[in-house]
Amino acid sequence: MKLAFILLAALSVAASAQTKQERGRRLADEVIAALGGERFLAMRDRVERGRAYSFYREELSGLARAALYTRYLDADASPDPKVLYVLERQAFGKDEDSVVLFERDKGWSITFRGARPINEERLERYRDSTQRSVFYILRQRLREKGLVFEHQGSDIVDNQPVEILDVTDSENRVVTIYLNRSTKLPERQVFFRRDPKTRIRHEEVTIYAKYRDVGGGVQWPFVMQRLRDGEKVFSLFAESVAIDQKLAETLFAVPAGVKILPPAR
């Protein structure tokens, strides 16, 4: 009898876990549908223009006009969780004369002085943040082996009812996504990153708001804010977002003939 009870309990736990994952995958499909469905999944590039603010200890430390250019690359049949399938150009200033460029395996800071390689620590932070973005997960990582979606129930966040979705990859990295219960659009995501030097664990939070149709039914947030350990570190207020602009290859490459500067110390 005792053995039968243990077996029944184990089967019950397994069934419950399976149901949680089934609900999680179904909820992920609903999020994709809310973001634009096949049109969202087929999005090739995007341009976001607006105002960017950076903060240090909750105090404004910088602001600029910003234009963010993103190009999605074709992912492998089974995407590698360590590979980025995206290119990004972050241009600042009225004339976009200060640029941060992220290629698949390297990054550059480009000014009138030349192009300076981005150090590995900053590059790794960018890779980790990009790979754990809810939009990147749904657009580029769905076929990745070992990716698990789990529904963690409902809650109230900022006075809004939300559904909670955990995404765990094969490296046991977890992203918790809070979805508007009515629209199923992402309102907040949370993950933890450990500093490779100090080993301190940091909480990384991104808040999304003011979704609009940016073409063909694709919904995209016009407001994005990032917090680290509860302190605001970055905000982007978009004034326009456009998709599938057939962006030129040269936007995502170091300009020909530019002076290559030594890495920053």
Side-chain angles (χ1 to χ4, degrees):
M1 287 292 292
K2 186 178 290 186
L3 178 60
F5 177 79
I6 292 173
L7 288 173
L8 283 172
L11 288 171
S12 176
V13 170
S16 176
Q18 184 181 23
T19 302
K20 184 182 291 187
Q21 290 186 19
E22 288 176 347
R23 289 201 304 267
R25 188 66 198 213
R26 186 166 59 249
L27 186 55
D29 290 339
E30 291 177 8
V31 180
I32 292 172
L35 289 170
E38 290 300 321
R39 189 73 177 85
F40 166 78
L41 296 175
M43 179 172 51
R44 302 301 301 175
D45 59 50
R46 184 177 63 258
V47 183
E48 301 164 77
R49 298 183 185 276
R51 294 166 289 126
Y53 300 81
S54 56
F55 300 85
Y56 180 70
R57 295 182 177 177
E58 292 288 303
E59 296 291 333
L60 182 66
S61 62
L63 61 92
R65 302 292 303 176
L68 308 184
Y69 301 86
T70 302
R71 167 174 285 174
Y72 293 104
L73 305 175
D74 291 333
D76 300 330
S78 179
D80 185 335
K82 296 182 180 179
V83 173
L84 277 184
Y85 300 93
V86 69
L87 304 174
E88 185 170 321
R89 175 189 181 93
Q90 303 173 356
F92 301 96
K94 182 179 179 181
D95 299 320
E96 300 186 17
D97 48 7
S98 177
V99 171
V100 178
L101 180 66
F102 291 104
E103 301 175 314
R104 292 188 68 164
D105 57 353
K106 63 185 68 174
W108 303 89
S109 176
I110 306 172
T111 65
F112 68 93
R113 294 186 177 88
R116 191 182 303 278
I118 289 174
N119 65 53
E120 186 58 34
E121 182 180 345
R122 182 181 176 188
L123 192 56
E124 182 54 37
R125 284 202 307 270
Y126 168 77
R127 289 194 196 105
D128 190 46
S129 296
T130 300
Q131 288 168 336
R132 296 211 258 177
S133 160
V134 57
F135 304 106
Y136 183 83
I137 289 171
L138 297 175
R139 174 63 180 78
Q140 298 293 80
R141 300 184 65 186
L142 284 180
R143 295 179 296 175
E144 186 177 300
K145 289 183 178 178
L147 199 67
V148 176
F149 295 88
E150 292 184 299
H151 181 234
Q152 300 294 353
S154 304
D155 203 349
I156 302 294
V157 176
D158 294 334
N159 297 319
Q160 293 293 326
V162 296
E163 300 287 339
I164 304 171
L165 179 66
D166 272 0
V167 184
T168 307
D169 67 11
S170 59
E171 297 184 353
N172 206 34
R173 297 182 300 178
V174 181
V175 181
T176 299
I177 304 162
Y178 297 84
L179 307 163
N180 183 286
R181 190 180 297 173
S182 299
T183 67
K184 298 300 187 291
L185 292 171
E187 292 190 344
R188 176 186 295 256
Q189 68 170 57
V190 181
F191 65 84
F192 291 88
R193 177 189 292 120
R194 193 172 297 280
D195 188 294
K197 293 181 179 179
T198 65
R199 306 307 297 167
I200 294 175
R201 189 168 177 255
H202 297 287
E203 180 189 54
E204 304 281 350
V205 177
T206 307
I207 299 170
Y208 305 104
K210 296 190 183 300
Y211 282 85
R212 297 179 186 171
D213 189 324
V214 295
V218 174
Q219 299 290 322
W220 197 262
F222 273 57
V223 175
M224 185 270 290
Q225 300 185 69
R226 292 177 183 158
L227 298 86
R228 181 173 298 120
D229 298 330
E231 292 188 355
K232 188 187 300 183
V233 294
F234 180 80
S235 295
L236 176 67
F237 295 87
E239 295 166 358
S240 68
V241 179
I243 64 172
D244 295 336
Q245 299 297 291
K246 298 181 179 180
L247 300 177
E249 296 281 349
T250 53
L251 276 174
F252 303 98
V254 176
V258 73
K259 183 178 180 180
I260 303 299
L261 304 172
R265 294 181 180 181

